[in-house]
Amino acid sequence: MPVYSMTGYASATAGAGATAESGTIAEGPAGRTAATPSASVSVELRSVNGRFLDLNFRLPDEFRSLEPALRDLLAGALRRGKVELRLSTRTDTDNAWPQPQADQLSRLSRLESTVQTWLPKAQPLSVHEVLQWCKGGGLTERLDEVALDAAKRAIAGLVQARAREGDRLVTVLMERVKRLRELAAEAEPLVPAVVQRQQQKFVERWKEALEVTGAAQSIPEQALQERAINEAAAYAIRIDVAEELARLRAHLDEIARLLKKGGEVGKRLDFLIQELLREANTLGSKASTLELTNISVEMKVAIEQLREQVQNLE
């Protein structure tokens, strides 16, 4: 299963009418050929990262009734992200005037007679007004279906775009995971070396202190060695980062597993990033050498880079 990004863009256009669909000429009911005006509906989808699925629609007034259906289509395909759907229409009537049909003119005549019966002062319809009424030729009734078709195509394109972006993000995330594992491997052998150096320092300081006080001859060498070893052991416990490194590796393994599995992993990865940062902070607080401090800083940088990318995953 792919990993989906919440960032993507897609658009689709669907047409209605003879010209938009096939460029043919429609046959009128009276047997005359008439150029049927065409219309097209374009749907644009933009999505960015968000904690939940946040849908925003920009629809012409005549398509407001489609919002519930569009919302269901988006909710069925997407899980998270801030998504904007923009719908627009275009009618191509520049190349041919509409040819009024007999049934259209008859209907308009009856409507005009009814209006003038009740409103005697009403002006009769002009030729221009008649042509405007006949311009759709029944096209408007089909635009809702065309708009939904365009929306379905755009949603499919958006899902594909988010999947492609998700693949790129997975590659980047796995590189950061690899780098964190390298840093953990660099940190692991440093602690024993630090403890050994510190043990030697304890012995030297004990000897210096005893020489200053004049008690060096009264304390056996073995006792000095044992005391130095005990102090070094207590010091080793304080600076031991084995548990932190083990937990860090476990979190990295889980991140790699989730990225390989795919699906809706964004929220779980976000939680694991917080745990990684906690282990890196503990490592930095226990750091007793410049090398460990530098490793801790590099880990935090890599983890922050992980966090930035994970914020875009669904």
Side-chain angles (χ1 to χ4, degrees), residues 53-81:
L53 184 60
D54 182 8
L55 303 179
N56 184 23
F57 297 93
R58 297 184 178 273
L59 307 175
D61 290 339
E62 59 268 26
F63 291 99
R64 285 295 177 187
S65 61
L66 293 182
E67 184 171 329
L70 294 172
R71 188 177 297 275
D72 290 341
L73 289 174
L74 288 168
L78 310 173
R79 296 295 177 268
R80 295 176 64 201

Side-chain angles (χ1 to χ4, degrees), residues 106-119:
S106 177
R107 189 181 310 117
L108 283 174
S109 178
R110 290 194 302 271
L111 291 172
E112 183 181 31
S113 297
T114 301
V115 171
Q116 289 181 336
T117 298
W118 289 93
L119 302 172

Side-chain angles (χ1 to χ4, degrees), residues 15-36:
T19 306
E21 292 178 345
S22 60
T24 60
I25 300 298
E27 186 73 18
R32 301 187 305 272
T33 58
T36 303

